[in-house]
Amino acid sequence: MQRLLLIPIFLCLIACQSEEQRAQKFVAQLSATEAARRTEASKALVAMGSEAIDALIRGLSDENPQIREMSAWTLSEIGVPAARIAPALISILADPDENIRVVGSVALQNLGEPAVPYLIDALKAESMEIRLNVAYALGEISTPLDTILPALISTLTDPEWNVRRLVVRALVTIGSPAVESLIQALNSDDPDLRRMAERALSDIGTPEARRAIADAKRQFPSDR
Protein backbone atom coordinates (compact mmCIF):
# COMPACT_ATOMS: atom_id res chain seq x y z
CA MET A 1 0.00 0.00 0.00
CA GLN A 2 2.81 2.41 0.90
CA ARG A 3 4.45 1.77 -2.45
CA LEU A 4 1.21 2.61 -4.23
CA LEU A 5 0.99 5.89 -2.30
CA LEU A 6 4.54 6.81 -3.27
CA ILE A 7 3.91 6.40 -7.01
CA PRO A 8 1.88 9.64 -7.48
CA ILE A 9 4.48 11.57 -5.47
CA PHE A 10 7.28 10.12 -7.60
CA LEU A 11 5.43 10.98 -10.81
CA CYS A 12 4.80 14.51 -9.56
CA LEU A 13 8.50 14.98 -8.83
CA ILE A 14 9.40 13.80 -12.30
CA ALA A 15 6.86 16.15 -13.87
CA CYS A 16 8.06 19.12 -11.79
CA GLN A 17 11.66 18.40 -12.66
CA SER A 18 10.73 18.08 -16.30
CA GLU A 19 8.98 21.49 -16.28
CA GLU A 20 11.96 23.11 -14.57
CA GLN A 21 14.34 21.64 -17.13
CA ARG A 22 12.05 22.79 -19.93
CA ALA A 23 12.01 26.33 -18.52
CA GLN A 24 15.80 26.34 -18.20
CA LYS A 25 16.09 25.23 -21.82
CA PHE A 26 13.89 28.09 -23.00
CA VAL A 27 15.79 30.63 -20.87
CA ALA A 28 19.03 29.49 -22.51
CA GLN A 29 17.33 29.93 -25.89
CA LEU A 30 16.75 33.62 -25.06
CA SER A 31 20.35 34.18 -26.16
CA ALA A 32 19.77 32.71 -29.64
CA THR A 33 21.19 34.67 -32.56
CA GLU A 34 17.94 34.44 -34.50
CA ALA A 35 15.22 36.80 -33.25
CA ALA A 36 12.54 34.26 -34.15
CA ARG A 37 14.05 31.67 -31.78
CA ARG A 38 14.27 34.24 -28.96
CA THR A 39 10.64 35.16 -29.52
CA GLU A 40 9.64 31.50 -29.58
CA ALA A 41 11.38 30.91 -26.24
CA SER A 42 9.85 33.98 -24.63
CA LYS A 43 6.33 33.00 -25.72
CA ALA A 44 6.84 29.47 -24.43
CA LEU A 45 7.98 30.80 -21.05
CA VAL A 46 5.00 33.15 -20.82
CA ALA A 47 2.72 30.20 -21.59
CA MET A 48 4.35 28.26 -18.75
CA GLY A 49 3.49 31.11 -16.40
CA SER A 50 4.46 30.74 -12.76
CA GLU A 51 6.36 27.52 -13.49
CA ALA A 52 8.90 29.53 -15.50
CA ILE A 53 9.49 32.26 -12.91
CA ASP A 54 12.34 30.63 -10.99
CA ALA A 55 14.28 29.92 -14.19
CA LEU A 56 13.71 33.48 -15.41
CA ILE A 57 14.80 34.98 -12.09
CA ARG A 58 18.03 33.00 -12.41
CA GLY A 59 18.27 34.36 -15.95
CA LEU A 60 18.39 37.90 -14.53
CA SER A 61 21.86 37.17 -13.15
CA ASP A 62 23.16 35.22 -16.16
CA GLU A 63 26.55 36.33 -17.50
CA ASN A 64 24.97 36.79 -20.94
CA PRO A 65 23.35 40.27 -21.12
CA GLN A 66 20.90 39.08 -23.79
CA ILE A 67 19.51 36.48 -21.39
CA ARG A 68 19.27 39.06 -18.58
CA GLU A 69 17.41 41.49 -20.83
CA MET A 70 15.01 38.93 -22.29
CA SER A 71 14.37 37.39 -18.87
CA ALA A 72 13.27 40.80 -17.58
CA TRP A 73 10.88 41.36 -20.49
CA THR A 74 9.46 37.87 -20.16
CA LEU A 75 8.89 38.20 -16.41
CA SER A 76 6.96 41.40 -16.99
CA GLU A 77 4.81 39.59 -19.56
CA ILE A 78 4.00 36.87 -17.02
CA GLY A 79 3.24 39.60 -14.52
CA VAL A 80 1.94 37.60 -11.56
CA PRO A 81 2.55 37.13 -8.78
CA ALA A 82 3.99 40.62 -8.39
CA ALA A 83 5.37 39.61 -4.99
CA ARG A 84 7.90 37.37 -6.77
CA ILE A 85 8.42 39.28 -9.99
CA ALA A 86 8.69 42.93 -8.88
CA PRO A 87 11.54 42.43 -6.37
CA ALA A 88 13.45 40.37 -8.94
CA LEU A 89 13.11 43.11 -11.55
CA ILE A 90 14.08 45.79 -9.03
CA SER A 91 17.31 43.89 -8.40
CA ILE A 92 18.48 44.43 -12.00
CA LEU A 93 18.10 48.20 -11.69
CA ALA A 94 21.66 48.03 -10.36
CA ASP A 95 22.90 45.89 -13.28
CA PRO A 96 26.32 47.04 -14.60
CA ASP A 97 24.82 47.26 -18.10
CA GLU A 98 22.91 50.55 -18.50
CA ASN A 99 20.68 49.08 -21.21
CA ILE A 100 19.54 46.33 -18.85
CA ARG A 101 18.82 48.88 -16.11
CA VAL A 102 16.56 50.71 -18.55
CA VAL A 103 14.88 47.45 -19.57
CA GLY A 104 14.30 46.64 -15.90
CA SER A 105 12.63 50.00 -15.32
CA VAL A 106 10.36 49.59 -18.35
CA ALA A 107 9.53 46.01 -17.31
CA LEU A 108 8.43 47.32 -13.91
CA GLN A 109 6.30 49.93 -15.64
CA ASN A 110 4.66 47.08 -17.56
CA LEU A 111 3.72 45.47 -14.24
CA GLY A 112 1.94 48.69 -13.34
CA GLU A 113 0.16 49.30 -10.05
CA PRO A 114 0.92 45.88 -8.49
CA ALA A 115 4.63 46.82 -8.55
CA VAL A 116 4.13 50.11 -6.69
CA PRO A 117 4.55 48.90 -3.07
CA TYR A 118 7.83 47.19 -3.98
CA LEU A 119 9.06 50.24 -5.89
CA ILE A 120 8.29 52.53 -2.96
CA ASP A 121 10.27 50.26 -0.63
CA ALA A 122 13.14 50.40 -3.12
CA LEU A 123 13.31 54.22 -2.91
CA LYS A 124 15.33 53.53 0.26
CA ALA A 125 17.70 51.08 -1.44
CA GLU A 126 21.42 51.54 -0.84
CA SER A 127 22.13 51.61 -4.58
CA MET A 128 21.74 55.02 -6.21
CA GLU A 129 21.03 53.33 -9.55
CA ILE A 130 18.10 51.46 -8.04
CA ARG A 131 16.66 54.59 -6.42
CA LEU A 132 16.80 56.73 -9.53
CA ASN A 133 15.37 54.06 -11.83
CA VAL A 134 12.62 53.35 -9.29
CA ALA A 135 11.72 57.05 -9.21
CA TYR A 136 11.47 57.08 -13.00
CA ALA A 137 9.24 54.00 -13.03
CA LEU A 138 6.92 55.43 -10.36
CA GLY A 139 6.43 58.59 -12.40
CA GLU A 140 5.48 56.53 -15.44
CA ILE A 141 3.06 54.30 -13.52
CA SER A 142 1.52 57.32 -11.71
CA THR A 143 -1.19 55.43 -9.81
CA PRO A 144 -2.28 55.21 -7.08
CA LEU A 145 -1.41 58.86 -6.50
CA ASP A 146 -2.18 58.79 -2.78
CA THR A 147 0.63 56.24 -2.37
CA ILE A 148 3.12 57.41 -5.00
CA LEU A 149 3.08 61.17 -4.35
CA PRO A 150 4.08 61.10 -0.66
CA ALA A 151 6.88 58.64 -1.45
CA LEU A 152 8.26 60.81 -4.27
CA ILE A 153 7.95 64.04 -2.27
CA SER A 154 9.89 62.53 0.63
CA THR A 155 12.62 61.46 -1.82
CA LEU A 156 13.15 65.04 -3.06
CA THR A 157 15.80 65.30 -0.32
CA ASP A 158 17.71 62.18 -1.38
CA PRO A 159 21.46 62.72 -0.79
CA GLU A 160 22.24 62.07 -4.47
CA TRP A 161 21.55 64.82 -6.99
CA ASN A 162 20.81 62.38 -9.81
CA VAL A 163 18.10 60.72 -7.72
CA ARG A 164 16.54 64.10 -6.86
CA ARG A 165 16.61 64.99 -10.55
CA LEU A 166 14.74 61.80 -11.50
CA VAL A 167 12.23 62.38 -8.70
CA VAL A 168 11.53 65.86 -10.09
CA ARG A 169 11.09 64.34 -13.53
CA ALA A 170 8.67 61.77 -12.12
CA LEU A 171 6.60 64.49 -10.46
CA VAL A 172 6.57 66.54 -13.67
CA THR A 173 5.40 63.44 -15.54
CA ILE A 174 2.50 63.12 -13.10
CA GLY A 175 1.82 66.81 -13.72
CA SER A 176 -1.14 68.74 -12.35
CA PRO A 177 -2.22 66.04 -9.86
CA ALA A 178 1.15 66.53 -8.13
CA VAL A 179 0.79 70.29 -7.70
CA GLU A 180 -1.06 70.29 -4.37
CA SER A 181 1.48 67.98 -2.72
CA LEU A 182 4.35 70.04 -4.14
CA ILE A 183 2.83 73.26 -2.80
CA GLN A 184 2.77 71.69 0.66
CA ALA A 185 6.45 70.80 0.22
CA LEU A 186 7.13 74.34 -0.97
CA ASN A 187 5.98 75.59 2.43
CA SER A 188 8.10 73.09 4.36
CA ASP A 189 10.63 74.12 7.00
CA ASP A 190 13.29 72.23 5.02
CA PRO A 191 15.01 74.60 2.55
CA ASP A 192 16.33 71.73 0.41
CA LEU A 193 12.83 70.30 0.06
CA ARG A 194 11.50 73.77 -0.83
CA ARG A 195 14.10 74.20 -3.58
CA MET A 196 13.34 70.85 -5.20
CA ALA A 197 9.58 71.40 -4.93
CA GLU A 198 9.99 74.78 -6.62
CA ARG A 199 11.96 73.16 -9.43
CA ALA A 200 9.21 70.61 -10.03
CA LEU A 201 6.44 73.23 -9.86
CA SER A 202 8.34 75.46 -12.27
CA ASP A 203 8.63 72.60 -14.77
CA ILE A 204 4.94 71.68 -14.39
CA GLY A 205 4.17 75.34 -15.07
CA THR A 206 0.43 75.53 -14.42
CA PRO A 207 -0.98 78.91 -13.22
CA GLU A 208 -1.51 77.41 -9.75
CA ALA A 209 2.11 76.23 -9.67
CA ARG A 210 3.44 79.64 -10.73
CA ARG A 211 1.31 81.44 -8.11
CA ALA A 212 2.61 79.09 -5.42
CA ILE A 213 6.21 79.82 -6.40
CA ALA A 214 5.58 83.58 -6.26
CA ASP A 215 3.98 83.27 -2.82
CA ALA A 216 6.88 81.16 -1.55
CA LYS A 217 9.41 83.76 -2.74
CA ARG A 218 7.70 86.32 -0.56
CA GLN A 219 7.48 83.93 2.41
CA PHE A 220 11.05 82.62 2.17
CA PRO A 221 13.14 85.47 0.69
CA SER A 222 16.32 83.94 2.15
CA ASP A 223 15.99 80.98 -0.27
CA ARG A 224 16.89 83.28 -3.14
mmCIF file with all atom_site columns, all heavy atoms in Angstrom, residues 115-130:
data_model
loop_
_atom_site.group_PDB
_atom_site.id
_atom_site.type_symbol
_atom_site.label_atom_id
_atom_site.label_alt_id
_atom_site.label_comp_id
_atom_site.label_asym_id
_atom_site.label_entity_id
_atom_site.label_seq_id
_atom_site.pdbx_PDB_ins_code
_atom_site.Cartn_x
_atom_site.Cartn_y
_atom_site.Cartn_z
_atom_site.occupancy
_atom_site.B_iso_or_equiv
_atom_site.pdbx_formal_charge
_atom_site.auth_seq_id
_atom_site.auth_comp_id
_atom_site.auth_asym_id
_atom_site.auth_atom_id
_atom_site.pdbx_PDB_model_num
ATOM 1   N N   . ALA A 1 115 ? 3.202  46.674 -8.889  1.00 0.00 ? 115 ALA A N   1
ATOM 2   C CA  . ALA A 1 115 ? 4.628  46.823 -8.554  1.00 0.00 ? 115 ALA A CA  1
ATOM 3   C C   . ALA A 1 115 ? 4.881  47.977 -7.602  1.00 0.00 ? 115 ALA A C   1
ATOM 4   O O   . ALA A 1 115 ? 5.965  48.070 -7.024  1.00 0.00 ? 115 ALA A O   1
ATOM 5   C CB  . ALA A 1 115 ? 5.444  47.031 -9.830  1.00 0.00 ? 115 ALA A CB  1
ATOM 6   N N   . VAL A 1 116 ? 3.903  48.859 -7.424  1.00 0.00 ? 116 VAL A N   1
ATOM 7   C CA  . VAL A 1 116 ? 4.129  50.113 -6.694  1.00 0.00 ? 116 VAL A CA  1
ATOM 8   C C   . VAL A 1 116 ? 4.637  49.905 -5.262  1.00 0.00 ? 116 VAL A C   1
ATOM 9   O O   . VAL A 1 116 ? 5.604  50.559 -4.844  1.00 0.00 ? 116 VAL A O   1
ATOM 10  C CB  . VAL A 1 116 ? 2.868  51.001 -6.730  1.00 0.00 ? 116 VAL A CB  1
ATOM 11  C CG1 . VAL A 1 116 ? 2.963  52.150 -5.730  1.00 0.00 ? 116 VAL A CG1 1
ATOM 12  C CG2 . VAL A 1 116 ? 2.673  51.549 -8.138  1.00 0.00 ? 116 VAL A CG2 1
ATOM 13  N N   . PRO A 1 117 ? 4.039  49.043 -4.441  1.00 0.00 ? 117 PRO A N   1
ATOM 14  C CA  . PRO A 1 117 ? 4.551  48.895 -3.070  1.00 0.00 ? 117 PRO A CA  1
ATOM 15  C C   . PRO A 1 117 ? 6.019  48.489 -3.024  1.00 0.00 ? 117 PRO A C   1
ATOM 16  O O   . PRO A 1 117 ? 6.768  48.955 -2.148  1.00 0.00 ? 117 PRO A O   1
ATOM 17  C CB  . PRO A 1 117 ? 3.652  47.794 -2.477  1.00 0.00 ? 117 PRO A CB  1
ATOM 18  C CG  . PRO A 1 117 ? 2.423  47.789 -3.311  1.00 0.00 ? 117 PRO A CG  1
ATOM 19  C CD  . PRO A 1 117 ? 2.868  48.177 -4.685  1.00 0.00 ? 117 PRO A CD  1
ATOM 20  N N   . TYR A 1 118 ? 6.438  47.652 -3.958  1.00 0.00 ? 118 TYR A N   1
ATOM 21  C CA  . TYR A 1 118 ? 7.825  47.189 -3.978  1.00 0.00 ? 118 TYR A CA  1
ATOM 22  C C   . TYR A 1 118 ? 8.758  48.304 -4.466  1.00 0.00 ? 118 TYR A C   1
ATOM 23  O O   . TYR A 1 118 ? 9.888  48.441 -3.980  1.00 0.00 ? 118 TYR A O   1
ATOM 24  C CB  . TYR A 1 118 ? 7.941  45.942 -4.857  1.00 0.00 ? 118 TYR A CB  1
ATOM 25  C CG  . TYR A 1 118 ? 6.948  44.886 -4.455  1.00 0.00 ? 118 TYR A CG  1
ATOM 26  C CD1 . TYR A 1 118 ? 5.739  44.733 -5.128  1.00 0.00 ? 118 TYR A CD1 1
ATOM 27  C CD2 . TYR A 1 118 ? 7.191  44.063 -3.350  1.00 0.00 ? 118 TYR A CD2 1
ATOM 28  C CE1 . TYR A 1 118 ? 4.801  43.788 -4.734  1.00 0.00 ? 118 TYR A CE1 1
ATOM 29  C CE2 . TYR A 1 118 ? 6.259  43.117 -2.950  1.00 0.00 ? 118 TYR A CE2 1
ATOM 30  C CZ  . TYR A 1 118 ? 5.068  42.991 -3.639  1.00 0.00 ? 118 TYR A CZ  1
ATOM 31  O OH  . TYR A 1 118 ? 4.145  42.062 -3.236  1.00 0.00 ? 118 TYR A OH  1
ATOM 32  N N   . LEU A 1 119 ? 8.268  49.106 -5.410  1.00 0.00 ? 119 LEU A N   1
ATOM 33  C CA  . LEU A 1 119 ? 9.055  50.238 -5.893  1.00 0.00 ? 119 LEU A CA  1
ATOM 34  C C   . LEU A 1 119 ? 9.238  51.283 -4.796  1.00 0.00 ? 119 LEU A C   1
ATOM 35  O O   . LEU A 1 119 ? 10.325 51.843 -4.636  1.00 0.00 ? 119 LEU A O   1
ATOM 36  C CB  . LEU A 1 119 ? 8.370  50.860 -7.112  1.00 0.00 ? 119 LEU A CB  1
ATOM 37  C CG  . LEU A 1 119 ? 8.444  50.034 -8.403  1.00 0.00 ? 119 LEU A CG  1
ATOM 38  C CD1 . LEU A 1 119 ? 7.450  50.559 -9.430  1.00 0.00 ? 119 LEU A CD1 1
ATOM 39  C CD2 . LEU A 1 119 ? 9.855  50.063 -8.978  1.00 0.00 ? 119 LEU A CD2 1
ATOM 40  N N   . ILE A 1 120 ? 8.196  51.540 -4.036  1.00 0.00 ? 120 ILE A N   1
ATOM 41  C CA  . ILE A 1 120 ? 8.293  52.529 -2.959  1.00 0.00 ? 120 ILE A CA  1
ATOM 42  C C   . ILE A 1 120 ? 9.292  52.065 -1.907  1.00 0.00 ? 120 ILE A C   1
ATOM 43  O O   . ILE A 1 120 ? 10.114 52.856 -1.422  1.00 0.00 ? 120 ILE A O   1
ATOM 44  C CB  . ILE A 1 120 ? 6.897  52.801 -2.361  1.00 0.00 ? 120 ILE A CB  1
ATOM 45  C CG1 . ILE A 1 120 ? 6.076  53.619 -3.366  1.00 0.00 ? 120 ILE A CG1 1
ATOM 46  C CG2 . ILE A 1 120 ? 7.012  53.535 -1.022  1.00 0.00 ? 120 ILE A CG2 1
ATOM 47  C CD1 . ILE A 1 120 ? 4.647  53.848 -2.964  1.00 0.00 ? 120 ILE A CD1 1
ATOM 48  N N   . ASP A 1 121 ? 9.261  50.797 -1.572  1.00 0.00 ? 121 ASP A N   1
ATOM 49  C CA  . ASP A 1 121 ? 10.267 50.263 -0.630  1.00 0.00 ? 121 ASP A CA  1
ATOM 50  C C   . ASP A 1 121 ? 11.679 50.461 -1.181  1.00 0.00 ? 121 ASP A C   1
ATOM 51  O O   . ASP A 1 121 ? 12.616 50.764 -0.428  1.00 0.00 ? 121 ASP A O   1
ATOM 52  C CB  . ASP A 1 121 ? 10.019 48.774 -0.377  1.00 0.00 ? 121 ASP A CB  1
ATOM 53  C CG  . ASP A 1 121 ? 8.836  48.523 0.540   1.00 0.00 ? 121 ASP A CG  1
ATOM 54  O OD1 . ASP A 1 121 ? 8.360  49.485 1.199   1.00 0.00 ? 121 ASP A OD1 1
ATOM 55  O OD2 . ASP A 1 121 ? 8.361  47.368 0.597   1.00 0.00 ? 121 ASP A OD2 1
ATOM 56  N N   . ALA A 1 122 ? 11.815 50.313 -2.501  1.00 0.00 ? 122 ALA A N   1
ATOM 57  C CA  . ALA A 1 122 ? 13.143 50.398 -3.125  1.00 0.00 ? 122 ALA A CA  1
ATOM 58  C C   . ALA A 1 122 ? 13.663 51.831 -3.219  1.00 0.00 ? 122 ALA A C   1
ATOM 59  O O   . ALA A 1 122 ? 14.841 52.036 -3.535  1.00 0.00 ? 122 ALA A O   1
ATOM 60  C CB  . ALA A 1 122 ? 13.106 49.764 -4.515  1.00 0.00 ? 122 ALA A CB  1
ATOM 61  N N   . LEU A 1 123 ? 12.822 52.834 -2.951  1.00 0.00 ? 123 LEU A N   1
ATOM 62  C CA  . LEU A 1 123 ? 13.312 54.216 -2.908  1.00 0.00 ? 123 LEU A CA  1
ATOM 63  C C   . LEU A 1 123 ? 14.326 54.413 -1.778  1.00 0.00 ? 123 LEU A C   1
ATOM 64  O O   . LEU A 1 123 ? 15.037 55.409 -1.750  1.00 0.00 ? 123 LEU A O   1
ATOM 65  C CB  . LEU A 1 123 ? 12.145 55.193 -2.716  1.00 0.00 ? 123 LEU A CB  1
ATOM 66  C CG  . LEU A 1 123 ? 11.282 55.473 -3.950  1.00 0.00 ? 123 LEU A CG  1
ATOM 67  C CD1 . LEU A 1 123 ? 10.072 56.306 -3.551  1.00 0.00 ? 123 LEU A CD1 1
ATOM 68  C CD2 . LEU A 1 123 ? 12.078 56.175 -5.053  1.00 0.00 ? 123 LEU A CD2 1
ATOM 69  N N   . LYS A 1 124 ? 14.370 53.464 -0.857  1.00 0.00 ? 124 LYS A N   1
ATOM 70  C CA  . LYS A 1 124 ? 15.325 53.532 0.256   1.00 0.00 ? 124 LYS A CA  1
ATOM 71  C C   . LYS A 1 124 ? 16.513 52.578 0.039   1.00 0.00 ? 124 LYS A C   1
ATOM 72  O O   . LYS A 1 124 ? 17.298 52.355 0.955   1.00 0.00 ? 124 LYS A O   1
ATOM 73  C CB  . LYS A 1 124 ? 14.617 53.187 1.574   1.00 0.00 ? 124 LYS A CB  1
ATOM 74  C CG  . LYS A 1 124 ? 13.457 54.111 1.917   1.00 0.00 ? 124 LYS A CG  1
ATOM 75  C CD  . LYS A 1 124 ? 12.794 53.687 3.210   1.00 0.00 ? 124 LYS A CD  1
ATOM 76  C CE  . LYS A 1 124 ? 11.611 54.583 3.550   1.00 0.00 ? 124 LYS A CE  1
ATOM 77  N NZ  . LYS A 1 124 ? 10.507 54.437 2.593   1.00 0.00 ? 124 LYS A NZ  1
ATOM 78  N N   . ALA A 1 125 ? 16.619 52.022 -1.154  1.00 0.00 ? 125 ALA A N   1
ATOM 79  C CA  . ALA A 1 125 ? 17.705 51.080 -1.436  1.00 0.00 ? 125 ALA A CA  1
ATOM 80  C C   . ALA A 1 125 ? 19.064 51.762 -1.301  1.00 0.00 ? 125 ALA A C   1
ATOM 81  O O   . ALA A 1 125 ? 19.198 52.972 -1.513  1.00 0.00 ? 125 ALA A O   1
ATOM 82  C CB  . ALA A 1 125 ? 17.556 50.498 -2.834  1.00 0.00 ? 125 ALA A CB  1
ATOM 83  N N   . GLU A 1 126 ? 20.067 50.994 -0.978  1.00 0.00 ? 126 GLU A N   1
ATOM 84  C CA  . GLU A 1 126 ? 21.421 51.541 -0.843  1.00 0.00 ? 126 GLU A CA  1
ATOM 85  C C   . GLU A 1 126 ? 21.969 52.003 -2.184  1.00 0.00 ? 126 GLU A C   1
ATOM 86  O O   . GLU A 1 126 ? 22.680 53.003 -2.273  1.00 0.00 ? 126 GLU A O   1
ATOM 87  C CB  . GLU A 1 126 ? 22.340 50.480 -0.237  1.00 0.00 ? 126 GLU A CB  1
ATOM 88  C CG  . GLU A 1 126 ? 23.752 50.962 0.021   1.00 0.00 ? 126 GLU A CG  1
ATOM 89  C CD  . GLU A 1 126 ? 24.610 49.908 0.699   1.00 0.00 ? 126 GLU A CD  1
ATOM 90  O OE1 . GLU A 1 126 ? 24.053 48.914 1.197   1.00 0.00 ? 126 GLU A OE1 1
ATOM 91  O OE2 . GLU A 1 126 ? 25.840 50.091 0.723   1.00 0.00 ? 126 GLU A OE2 1
ATOM 92  N N   . SER A 1 127 ? 21.609 51.285 -3.250  1.00 0.00 ? 127 SER A N   1
ATOM 93  C CA  . SER A 1 127 ? 22.131 51.605 -4.582  1.00 0.00 ? 127 SER A CA  1
ATOM 94  C C   . SER A 1 127 ? 21.453 52.852 -5.162  1.00 0.00 ? 127 SER A C   1
ATOM 95  O O   . SER A 1 127 ? 20.230 52.925 -5.271  1.00 0.00 ? 127 SER A O   1
ATOM 96  C CB  . SER A 1 127 ? 21.897 50.423 -5.525  1.00 0.00 ? 127 SER A CB  1
ATOM 97  O OG  . SER A 1 127 ? 22.061 50.817 -6.869  1.00 0.00 ? 127 SER A OG  1
ATOM 98  N N   . MET A 1 128 ? 22.273 53.825 -5.555  1.00 0.00 ? 128 MET A N   1
ATOM 99  C CA  . MET A 1 128 ? 21.741 55.020 -6.210  1.00 0.00 ? 128 MET A CA  1
ATOM 100 C C   . MET A 1 128 ? 21.045 54.667 -7.514  1.00 0.00 ? 128 MET A C   1
ATOM 101 O O   . MET A 1 128 ? 20.004 55.232 -7.856  1.00 0.00 ? 128 MET A O   1
ATOM 102 C CB  . MET A 1 128 ? 22.869 56.015 -6.490  1.00 0.00 ? 128 MET A CB  1
ATOM 103 C CG  . MET A 1 128 ? 22.406 57.290 -7.176  1.00 0.00 ? 128 MET A CG  1
ATOM 104 S SD  . MET A 1 128 ? 23.748 58.264 -7.895  1.00 0.00 ? 128 MET A SD  1
ATOM 105 C CE  . MET A 1 128 ? 24.217 57.253 -9.302  1.00 0.00 ? 128 MET A CE  1
ATOM 106 N N   . GLU A 1 129 ? 21.622 53.720 -8.276  1.00 0.00 ? 129 GLU A N   1
ATOM 107 C CA  . GLU A 1 129 ? 21.033 53.333 -9.553  1.00 0.00 ? 129 GLU A CA  1
ATOM 108 C C   . GLU A 1 129 ? 19.619 52.776 -9.356  1.00 0.00 ? 129 GLU A C   1
ATOM 109 O O   . GLU A 1 129 ? 18.712 53.060 -10.141 1.00 0.00 ? 129 GLU A O   1
ATOM 110 C CB  . GLU A 1 129 ? 21.909 52.296 -10.255 1.00 0.00 ? 129 GLU A CB  1
ATOM 111 C CG  . GLU A 1 129 ? 23.238 52.826 -10.748 1.00 0.00 ? 129 GLU A CG  1
ATOM 112 C CD  . GLU A 1 129 ? 23.085 53.793 -11.917 1.00 0.00 ? 129 GLU A CD  1
ATOM 113 O OE1 . GLU A 1 129 ? 21.984 53.896 -12.478 1.00 0.00 ? 129 GLU A OE1 1
ATOM 114 O OE2 . GLU A 1 129 ? 24.086 54.450 -12.247 1.00 0.00 ? 129 GLU A OE2 1
ATOM 115 N N   . ILE A 1 130 ? 19.439 51.992 -8.301  1.00 0.00 ? 130 ILE A N   1
ATOM 116 C CA  . ILE A 1 130 ? 18.103 51.464 -8.036  1.00 0.00 ? 130 ILE A CA  1
ATOM 117 C C   . ILE A 1 130 ? 17.150 52.600 -7.707  1.00 0.00 ? 130 ILE A C   1
ATOM 118 O O   . ILE A 1 130 ? 16.039 52.684 -8.253  1.00 0.00 ? 130 ILE A O   1
ATOM 119 C CB  . ILE A 1 130 ? 18.141 50.427 -6.888  1.00 0.00 ? 130 ILE A CB  1
ATOM 120 C CG1 . ILE A 1 130 ? 18.779 49.122 -7.379  1.00 0.00 ? 130 ILE A CG1 1
ATOM 121 C CG2 . ILE A 1 130 ? 16.719 50.146 -6.357  1.00 0.00 ? 130 ILE A CG2 1
ATOM 122 C CD1 . ILE A 1 130 ? 18.871 48.037 -6.325  1.00 0.00 ? 130 ILE A CD1 1
#
